[in-house]
Amino acid sequence: MSGFREAFLYVVILVLGSFLVAESAIGVNWGTVSFRKLKPSTVVDLLKDNNIEKVKLFDADPEVLGALMGSGIQVMVGIPNEMLAAISSSTAVSDLWVRQNVSRYVVKGGVDIRYVAVGNEPFLTSYSGQFQSYVIPALLNLQQSLAKANLAGYVKLVVPCNADAYESSLPSQGTYRPELTEIITQLLSFLSSNGSPFVVNIYPFLSLYGSTDFPQDYAFFDGSTHPVTDGPNVYGNAFDGNFDTLVAALNKLGYGQMPIVIGEVGWPTDGAISANLTAAKAFNQGLIYHVLSNKGTPLRPGAPPMDVYIFSLLDEGAKSTLPGNFERHWGIFSFDGQAKYPLNLGLGNKELKNAKNVEYLPSRWCVADATKDLSGVANHMRIACGVADCSTLNYGGSCNGIGAKGNISYAFNSYYQLQDQNAQSCDFDGLGMVTFLDPSVGDCRFLVGVTDTSSGFGPCPRRIMIWILMIWGLCVFLI
């Protein structure tokens, strides 16, 4: 009983603290879709060294949450869309999820979980409504489960939405997509009743990438030669225009004062013409200064978003490239925790600090043997790039101009590092050779892998967890 009382008092203290301190802050998204992951403890140290006090996760990886224990970092854990059907089916399933992923960690010296993200952009147009009917039932079940765990007043449920949930030609005319009006109204009612913010993901880069007519300078924060005039308001950047479109859409449904959190915003550094280090630095630095200035937007002057989570902390080399090759290059740090460019997060350090004590494989690389006939190498390259990440070789990528032999070497090396530098993995029917001279050229960096001492909570265990919840939900339904 004393242990329960201690835990309860800890939660009470946290809740009281949340009312006393409600400052906006810059946080980061920590995604883990990578071939080679830094140890979670190394990443947590990286967060602490950079004074980053808020982090958003896309699942509830027990190894990641274990590393966050006692860190003092405020955490948003995520529930993948694939789990929504099972969680919406019964409170027994949601009780299980909350027990395993929230209440076990919110203890003295534990993890400061502030939010649970229920799904990730479940209303996305490309999903064609497949997750839509599960969102509200899942929220209701999870809220009930949090109440049973005495956490409903502290841990807030949110639903990160893509900016495609709303639309307009001018910010003041913003409305939600007609087919979403009913469910968004239900969502807003739930969020308002429980003191939760509306979480939205805004990506000016994607607007620029997807339209040749989009003015490039409108994506940044230095003013635009193509500002948007909306009555008395003039918008010099896409972020403010998008944000106020959401404000207008909220206002039309009667929730114009709802707090807004930016769940994802950022700029990639590779994989497309407009994705590079210079642009990424300009956008992210401009965004941070803009938000922390407290200037706000024309429809919310002096009231910037509650919190802004930069996307993302680290590059994720195993992500799908269907949206574009840039998808693996959003990190402000490379996969090994090294800063890509100077960035002041406004959190005390003027520049980013690199990860410490990173364990690398030996400094050697696999390259094409120039003395061999490489005319029959195409199939080897397909195999190598089908397994490893070769996205920087494509049009707009940092390695796009290194020539045919360079392309072969890059593909060979990417595969070789992924195979822990196994000698056989550099054979390629005798076309590959190991070198101790770094073959990197200019901005094209030939990577050396990190020693993967983290077991991680990879795709297979996560799928198993999804299936367990789905089967549990079906059993409860049948009974």
Side-chain angles (χ1 to χ4, degrees):
M1 180 62 73
S2 61
F4 172 79
R5 187 181 298 116
E6 187 178 55
F8 179 74
L9 288 173
Y10 173 70
V11 171
V12 169
I13 291 170
L14 286 176
V15 172
L16 290 175
S18 70
F19 287 112
L20 295 173
V21 181
E23 296 181 358
S24 300
I26 301 296
V28 295
N29 285 267
W30 176 4
T32 57
V33 187
S34 301
F35 294 120
R36 282 298 190 211
K37 303 173 189 176
L38 292 177
K39 289 184 291 188
S41 59
T42 300
V43 179
V44 172
D45 287 342
L46 177 65
L47 294 169
K48 288 162 47 174
D49 286 345
N50 285 282
N51 300 323
I52 297 170
E53 297 180 347
K54 294 175 184 279
V55 67
K56 178 170 167 281
L57 309 174
F58 292 92
D59 51 22
D61 183 331
E63 196 170 1
V64 168
L65 290 172
L68 286 162
M69 296 275 282
S71 67
I73 296 170
Q74 296 178 15
V75 180
M76 181 187 299
V77 296
I79 300 177
N81 291 330
E82 293 81 6
M83 288 187 181
L84 296 182
I87 289 174
S88 70
S89 66
S90 83
T91 52
V93 179
S94 62
D95 287 349
L96 173 65
W97 192 90
V98 168
R99 277 199 308 273
Q100 291 185 334
N101 302 294
V102 181
S103 53
R104 70 181 290 193
Y105 295 106
V106 184
V107 295
K108 184 177 181 181
V111 184
D112 188 5
I113 297 175
R114 297 293 183 100
Y115 296 106
V116 173
V118 182
N120 185 44
E121 302 184 338
F123 308 129
L124 198 64
T125 306
S126 59
Y127 289 147
S128 303
Q130 70 180 101
F131 303 114
Q132 197 166 308
S133 63
Y134 305 130
V135 173
I136 300 302
L139 284 169
L140 296 174
N141 285 348
L142 287 163
Q143 187 68 20
Q144 188 173 330
S145 298
L146 288 171
K148 291 177 185 175
N150 294 315
L151 293 172
Y154 183 67
V155 179
K156 302 298 183 182
L157 300 176
V158 295
V159 179
C161 292
N162 188 281
D164 82 343
Y166 47 89
E167 55 196 6
S168 81
S169 55
L170 291 172
S172 64
Q173 297 173 10
T175 58
Y176 285 97
R177 299 197 325 257
E179 71 272 20
L180 293 180
T181 301
E182 182 178 353
I183 192 169
I184 290 291
T185 302
Q186 294 174 334
L187 171 61
L188 295 174
S189 175
F190 175 90
L191 297 175
S192 179
S193 298
N194 293 286
S196 296
F198 189 88
V199 178
V200 65
N201 301 337
I202 296 177
Y203 282 107
F205 168 80
L206 295 180
S207 299
L208 178 63
Y209 178 77
S211 172
T212 55
D213 297 328
F214 192 90
Q216 181 155 334
D217 59 1
Y218 188 60
F220 298 91
F221 294 89
D222 295 327
S224 174
T225 56
H226 300 81
V228 172
T229 301
D230 184 6
N233 298 322
V234 178
Y235 292 87
N237 68 80
F239 179 85
D240 284 358
N242 196 308
F243 186 89
D244 273 3
T245 303
L246 170 59
V247 172
L250 288 169
N251 192 52
K252 287 181 175 63
L253 294 181
Y255 294 91
Q257 300 305 310
M258 175 163 283
I260 296 172
V261 165
I262 307 301
E264 297 177 27
V265 61
W267 200 280
T269 58
D270 213 328
I273 287 295
S274 50
N276 54 66
L277 296 173
T278 302
K281 178 185 177 181
F283 178 83
N284 283 329
Q285 195 64 81
L287 170 76
I288 291 164
Y289 287 157
H290 181 61
V291 170
L292 296 183
S293 72
N294 292 320
K295 181 181 178 181
T297 61
L299 294 188
R300 282 196 177 177
M306 275 180 60
D307 296 312
V308 174
Y309 293 87
I310 300 294
F311 191 86
S312 66
L313 181 64
L314 302 164
D315 280 352
E316 297 176 80
K319 290 187 73 175
S320 169
T321 56
L322 284 178
N325 290 305
F326 55 81
E327 197 63 27
R328 296 175 173 175
H329 305 281
W330 290 95
I332 56 176
F333 294 91
S334 53
F335 82 106
D336 54 354
Q338 306 307 296
K340 294 183 183 177
Y341 47 85
L343 185 66
N344 183 350
L345 294 174
L347 302 174
N349 296 338
K350 291 185 178 180
E351 292 187 1
L352 299 176
K353 294 186 177 181
N354 294 331
K356 298 174 182 174
N357 304 315
V358 178
E359 300 170 6
Y360 290 93
L361 295 169
S363 295
R364 57 189 180 215
W365 298 261
C366 177
V367 296
D369 187 342
T371 66
K372 301 292 177 66
D373 178 9
L374 299 174
S375 59
V377 78
N379 192 50
H380 292 299
M381 285 192 67
R382 274 194 297 271
I383 293 171
C385 293
V387 175
D389 176 27
C390 298
S391 57
T392 60
L393 295 178
N394 294 296
Y395 180 68
S398 60
C399 298
N400 181 240
I402 61 175
K405 181 177 173 291
N407 290 345
I408 298 166
S409 293
Y410 189 92
F412 282 7
N413 184 64
S414 297
Y415 182 83
Y416 174 67
Q417 302 296 338
L418 194 58
Q419 304 301 318
D420 289 330
Q421 298 184 353
N422 180 286
Q424 291 299 315
S425 67
C426 187
D427 182 57
F428 297 104
D429 287 341
L431 300 180
M433 58 176 282
V434 173
T435 180
F436 296 92
L437 297 175
D438 187 349
S440 299
V441 181
D443 292 333
C444 178
R445 180 183 170 203
F446 280 60
L447 303 176
V448 172
V450 295
T451 304
D452 187 11
T453 55
S454 165
S455 61
F457 190 59
C460 290
R462 188 176 302 140
R463 279 198 291 268
I464 291 170
M465 182 63 179
I466 292 171
W467 276 106
I468 289 172
L469 286 172
M470 290 175 67
I471 293 169
W472 184 311
L474 179 61
C475 291
V476 170
F477 176 77
L478 292 175
I479 291 171

